[in-house]
């Protein structure tokens, strides 16, 4: 039996634009997914297309048990974390000898096949390696870890990343003159943010601009607007949609002293708040007694 875990993530800058080869900055966060894989002769069937693909890609069968601290379909990279932890646990249980880089690329190909070819490597790389990463196509650069205090607001409005990515792609096909400049502007904001990474007030202003550009792309939602506005009013340096949008979550960059107040403001607008910070570990092997915390999903 092998037990592995992998963290969720937030996009600080550049979601959707990364799908078109633009740069994006994402950070691994503390909540994680725990996966137990066990060799079995008669594995039960799995319903999740991500798990199905993981076993298919590794060419083995087994049972899998999942315990998640990340709400699913909420823009926090739970499917990438499940994929990364499952591939890592299969690799370990069957002694397949894949490196962390192999796991990251395999996880990306699993995401791509489930999301019909449209998935950047961001979620899977950040979940595998942890930390803050600048991702642009095949280039992945680790940025110095910053002590950011984040408050995430989950709207509890479920969304589908694949559907939101497809919506943007259709908008771009019908109105390239509108959408391409928005993607260029997101790229400019992402690149400018690198110059002010230590100045959280300035970084927050760029997050606000990135949010408005995502609204212009059509991936906003009234519930996201409510939480973003509440977080800013309660003292956040900046706040924006994180992930695919259309529901899901927003993220606020906060002064340390204000994070409880900002979390309270989000909860006051019917959001679920998560106060969190950076995870620098990425995918990691857990002790076997981790199984006591796992829920069976079957395979
Ligand atoms: C989803 O977390 C982020 C998107 O940019 C899609 C992707 O990068 O694959 C919307």
């Amino acid at each position: 039996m092998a037990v592995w875990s992998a963290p969720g993530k937030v996009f600080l800058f550049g979601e959707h634009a990364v799908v078109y080869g633009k740069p994006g900055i994402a950070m691994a966060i503390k909540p994680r997914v725990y996966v137990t894989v066990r060799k079995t002769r008669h594995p039960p069937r799995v319903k999740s297309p991500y798990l199905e693909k993981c076993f298919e890609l590794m060419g083995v069968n087994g049972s899998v048990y999942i315990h998640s601290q990340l709400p699913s379909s909420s823009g926090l990279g739970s499917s990438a974390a499940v994929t990364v932890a499952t591939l890592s646990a299969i690799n370990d249980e069957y002694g397949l000898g894949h490196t962390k880089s192999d796991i990251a690329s395999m996880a990306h190909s699993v995401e791509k096949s489930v999301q019909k070819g449209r998935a950047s490597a961001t979620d899977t790389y950040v979940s595998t390696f942890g930390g803050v990463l600048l991702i642009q196509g095949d280039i992945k650069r680790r940025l110095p870890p910053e002590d950011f205090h984040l408050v995430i607001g989950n709207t509890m409005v479920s969304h589908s990343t694949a559907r939101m990515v497809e919506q943007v792609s259709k908008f771009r096909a019908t109105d390239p003159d509108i959408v391409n400049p928005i993607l260029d502007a997101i790229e400019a904001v992402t690149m400018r943010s690198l110059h002010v990474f230590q100045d959280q007030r300035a970084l927050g202003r760029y997050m606000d601009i990135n949010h408005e550009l995502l609204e212009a792309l059509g991936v906003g939602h009234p519930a996201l607007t409510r939480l973003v506005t509440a977080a800013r009013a309660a003292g956040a340096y900046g706040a924006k949609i994180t992930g695919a949008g259309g529901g899901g979550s927003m993220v606020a960059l906060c002064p340390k002293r204000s994070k409880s107040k900002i979390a309270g403001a989000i909860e006051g607008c019917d959001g679920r708040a998560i106060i969190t910070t950076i995870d620098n570990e990425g995918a990691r092997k857990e002790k076997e007694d981790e199984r006591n915390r796992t829920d069976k999903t079957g395979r």
Side-chain angles (χ1 to χ4, degrees), residues 50-161:
Y50 292 94
L51 296 179
E52 192 101 52
K53 283 274 165 215
C54 288
F55 280 94
E56 199 183 298
L57 200 64
M58 293 292 213
V60 293
N61 273 316
S63 65
V64 55
Y65 303 84
I66 296 179
H67 166 79
S68 182
Q69 297 171 337
L70 288 163
S72 62
S73 304
S74 64
L76 301 176
S78 68
S79 58
V82 165
T83 304
V84 168
T86 303
L87 289 171
S88 305
I90 295 172
N91 186 40
D92 188 7
E93 174 74 347
Y94 290 84
L96 302 177
H98 293 292
T99 62
K100 257 195 167 184
S101 293
D102 298 336
I103 297 290
S105 351
M106 282 192 270
H108 182 208
S109 67
V110 169
E111 283 239 310
K112 268 205 296 208
S113 79
V114 179
Q115 283 175 216
K116 301 194 180 86
R118 293 192 209 94
S120 76
T122 319
D123 291 20
T124 42
Y125 270 77
V126 171
S127 186
T128 306
F129 293 106
V132 196
L133 291 179
L134 171 71
I135 305 242
Q136 181 163 24
D138 288 339
I139 302 162
K140 289 118 194 158
R141 201 174 100 209
R142 212 180 166 97
L143 301 176
E146 296 294 336
D147 190 20
F148 291 148
H149 296 281
L150 301 179
V151 179
I152 290 163
N154 181 356
T155 59
M156 308 301 286
V157 176
S158 164
H159 73 169
S160 150
T161 297

Side-chain angles (χ1 to χ4, degrees), residues 2-57:
V3 188
W4 279 72
S5 71
K9 65 94 201 31
V10 287
F11 260 94
L12 296 175
F13 296 98
E15 50 273 89
H16 286 289
V18 284
V19 176
Y20 302 93
K22 306 282 189 198
I25 301 174
M27 186 178 119
I29 53 173
K30 294 287 182 205
R32 28 181 75 228
V33 172
Y34 297 82
V35 175
T36 304
V37 168
R38 192 194 304 260
K39 282 184 198 166
T40 42
R41 214 170 285 153
H42 304 292
R45 281 200 58 72
V46 261
K47 291 192 193 93
S48 154
Y50 292 94
L51 296 179
E52 192 101 52
K53 283 274 165 215
C54 288
F55 280 94
E56 199 183 298
L57 200 64

Side-chain angles (χ1 to χ4, degrees), residues 200-211:
Q200 295 197 26
R201 215 170 275 282
L203 209 55
R205 268 199 304 277
Y206 287 132
M207 287 173 72
D208 289 348
I209 298 171
N210 195 161
H211 176 79

